[in-house]
Amino acid sequence: MSDGFHGLCPICGLLARSCRGARSGTLDRLHKQLNASMALFVQKYGGTSVGSPERIQHVARRVARFVAQGHQVVVVVSAMSGETNRLISLAKSVSSQPDPRELDVMLSTGEQVSIALVAMAIMELGIKARSYTGRQAQILTDSVHTRARIVEIDRVNLRADLDAGYVVVVAGFQGVDDSGNITTLGRGGSDTTGVALAAALNADECQIYTDVDGVYTTDPRVVPEARRLKTITFEEMLEMASLGSKVLQIRSVEFAGNYRVKLRVLSSFQDEGEGTLITFEEGPDMEKAVISGIAFNRDEAKITLLGVPDRPGIAYQILGPIGDANIDVDMIVQNVSHDGLTDFSFTVHRSDFHQAMEILKSADAHIKSRGVMGDDKIAKVSVVGVGMRSHAGIASTAFRTLAEEGINIQMISTSEIKISIVIDEKYVELAVRGLHKAFDLEQGA
Ligand code: ASP
Ligand code: MG
């Protein structure tokens, strides 16, 4: 691109440097048409999508098709499948608790390999491409190693490259803090890199290419009749992601919500298909289902304190030390008291279970309950749908379904758009299948 592209395009009046007609030197009214069809896409490819040289070439060919249609493309990639796990176990082979800063230095190499390979494969097709590490792309994060949050992205470099006709290939999952340390964004963090870049560059769409062709009503491995959703609202997606649907990193969904990024989940293995679009409101073309999906999560554990004195400050005495240990608490249930005593239950991530039990046993020296009980064989099943706001009877349908299957409900929690139920882990598949059927989710909308 020459330096002459300052100011406005004399033909269509757009900023000259983002006018496609001006950039390609077209001198007629075609400018408007060219600009109307040009879009900026951020395409994120996960580990399996770049898992082999063949898969990488496949990605390059898809990118090339978008470029051929006149679009600008930013590619965000994960490490090749298995690589991040391999690096973590390598670290654990020399250190029982790898230093988080050093772990990030190492983990970031996985994505660095992918970006270079993808850029090379794209260039091989005669298209200009350039790779960027998180630091080169100036993805600034806080300093919380291994789960850093993106604070800011300086889009100047990337913009200039895009405007000069390059495909920009950015390493997912990594950034740099303000002292120049390499950081990573937590497992699955490349999704968040993709969405954050889409927000920073004001992209038309952020496409997440993965090994499934969209977001399903539930996990098809459990319910073969599960159906791909054409659309899901952002709020529902947030619930599905936090309740156990592993398609998107939850932070990426939060990010998309905050910056209103148009987000779509698609298969990188199929060339057809529109995937699932995550929308912001229930528009007229939304599927009319009351319930969008059934999420489930086997990663939980339940802790109960029996016969706790029912007096002010008790919840704090129980949960304070848990919070101090940085353990997230999910559901909390306290019963009506009898004779001044009550039972208090809550759930934590299963990997925090043992630590939480230890903490509570020592806290119980002051609380003086009648006993601390733990169960790490529970699962949480959730019915999710914005339609719940305007439809009665969803909870009773869910409870009736579980009753008919003979499944005992241990805990219940609800929000405006979800009902979560804790049950014995061994019934999770039965419950999910029953609920999926009870809410007619297998039928096309
Ligand atoms: N490679 C990282 C992981 O395996 C980040 C990602 O794939 O999104 O978690
Ligand atoms: Mg992922």
Side-chain angles (χ1 to χ4, degrees):
M1 193 176 70
S2 85
D3 283 328
F5 289 107
H6 294 303
L8 302 181
C9 166
I11 296 175
C12 64
L14 272 181
L15 256 183
R17 63 184 180 83
S18 40
C19 171
R20 216 179 111 69
R23 282 186 21 225
S24 61
T26 313
L27 290 174
D28 55 26
R29 282 172 293 128
L30 220 86
H31 282 209
K32 282 222 167 83
Q33 235 172 300
L34 281 172
N35 290 326
S37 62
M38 183 190 80
L40 171 60
F41 289 100
V42 173
Q43 302 188 330
K44 181 262 171 178
Y45 292 92
T48 45
S49 308
V50 294
S52 68
E54 293 71 34
R55 298 300 318 158
I56 287 177
Q57 287 166 326
H58 191 85
V59 167
R61 286 195 293 275
R62 183 192 316 274
V63 170
R65 281 202 300 279
F66 276 79
V67 171
Q69 287 161 17
H71 302 305
Q72 293 181 324
V73 187
V74 174
V75 182
V76 174
V77 284
S78 292
M80 294 170 81
S81 53
E83 181 62 7
T84 307
N85 288 339
R86 189 186 72 85
L87 292 170
I88 291 173
S89 42
L90 192 57
K92 290 202 170 138
S93 66
V94 298
S95 165
S96 56
Q97 272 202 310
D99 178 77
R101 181 186 180 278
E102 304 313 324
L103 199 54
D104 278 353
V105 169
M106 190 176 69
L107 290 185
S108 66
T109 63
E111 273 72 12
Q112 189 166 338
V113 170
S114 311
I115 51 170
L117 285 171
V118 169
M120 289 176 207
I122 294 173
M123 284 188 250
E124 198 64 20
L125 302 176
I127 295 167
K128 295 198 283 183
R130 188 175 266 170
S131 70
Y132 279 87
T133 63
R135 182 200 193 106
Q136 290 172 316
Q138 306 206 44
I139 299 177
L140 260 159
T141 70
D142 61 22
S143 304
V144 186
H145 284 291
T146 75
R147 49 194 164 88
R149 278 181 186 269
I150 296 178
V151 179
E152 201 187 313
I153 297 181
D154 184 349
R155 60 195 154 214
V156 175
N157 286 347
L158 302 187
R159 258 274 159 240
D161 271 356
L162 287 169
D163 286 341
Y166 282 92
V167 169
V168 173
V169 187
V170 182
F173 175 58
Q174 56 178 265
V176 61
D177 74 2
D178 59 5
S179 320
N181 296 302
I182 297 175
T183 54
T184 65
L185 311 178
R187 299 307 305 268
S190 299
D191 293 342
T192 302
T193 307
V195 175
L197 277 169
L201 294 164
N202 201 6
D204 294 278
E205 191 167 296
C206 180
Q207 305 180 328
I208 307 280
Y209 287 93
T210 175
D211 46 8
V212 292
D213 65 348
V215 179
Y216 274 69
T217 49
T218 195
D219 186 340
R221 284 168 299 191
V222 172
V223 183
E225 297 80 20
R227 188 169 50 83
R228 177 178 59 83
L229 296 160
K230 290 199 189 83
T231 60
I232 184 169
T233 67
F234 151 75
E235 283 173 289
E236 289 168 326
M237 191 62 227
L238 206 54
E239 291 288 0
M240 293 288 273
S242 63
L243 295 171
S245 154
K246 303 249 159 34
V247 190
L248 289 172
Q249 195 201 32
I250 180 151
R251 272 191 194 171
S252 73
V253 185
E254 286 167 2
F255 219 105
N258 292 343
Y259 293 89
R260 296 189 83 78
V261 173
K262 196 170 163 196
L263 190 59
R264 191 187 288 277
V265 177
L266 298 141
S267 163
S268 70
F269 291 82
Q270 288 169 15
D271 289 328
E272 306 288 302
E274 57 185 28
T276 301
L277 179 67
I278 291 127
T279 60
F280 290 93
E281 55 256 347
E282 304 149 75
D285 52 343
M286 286 280 299
E287 289 162 86
K288 284 286 181 285
V290 177
I291 300 305
S292 286
I294 312 292
F296 58 91
N297 183 353
R298 292 185 174 94
D299 293 337
E300 301 221 356
K302 181 178 75 167
I303 296 176
T304 303
L305 273 85
L306 295 167
V308 226
D310 190 14
R311 57 175 151 76
I314 209 75
Y316 178 66
Q317 269 188 314
I318 297 170
L319 296 179
I322 298 285
D324 291 343
N326 248 328
I327 296 175
D328 282 336
V329 171
D330 180 18
M331 286 191 194
I332 303 170
V333 170
Q334 185 190 322
N335 283 340
V336 176
S337 65
H338 285 286
D339 313 323
L341 294 179
T342 182
D343 298 339
F344 189 101
S345 297
F346 61 95
T347 62
V348 294
H349 202 274
R350 201 172 284 182
S351 60
D352 293 328
F353 175 65
H354 290 291
Q355 196 193 350
M357 283 294 279
E358 289 311 311
I359 291 171
L360 271 187
K361 280 179 190 154
S362 54
D364 201 37
H366 312 287
I367 300 168
K368 299 198 174 33
S369 77
R370 292 210 175 138
V372 182
M373 271 172 27
D375 183 355
D376 65 350
K377 296 273 179 303
I378 59 158
K380 184 169 72 172
V381 178
S382 307
V383 177
V384 177
V386 289
M388 253 178 234
R389 288 194 182 120
S390 48
H391 284 76
I394 305 296
S396 67
T397 303
F399 301 151
R400 190 188 59 229
T401 307
L402 297 185
E404 281 167 6
E405 301 287 1
I407 301 171
N408 185 40
I409 297 175
Q410 302 183 11
M411 291 167 99
I412 301 168
S413 88
T414 61
S415 79
E416 260 198 314
I417 66 162
K418 71 125 203 269
I419 300 166
S420 292
I421 299 164
V422 168
I423 59 173
D424 188 328
E425 186 190 2
K426 63 176 182 272
Y427 299 123
V428 64
E429 306 208 340
L430 191 61
V432 171
R433 277 190 217 116
L435 291 167
H436 196 268
K437 202 166 167 51
F439 289 106
D440 287 334
L441 290 173
E442 71 278 348
Q443 259 135 51

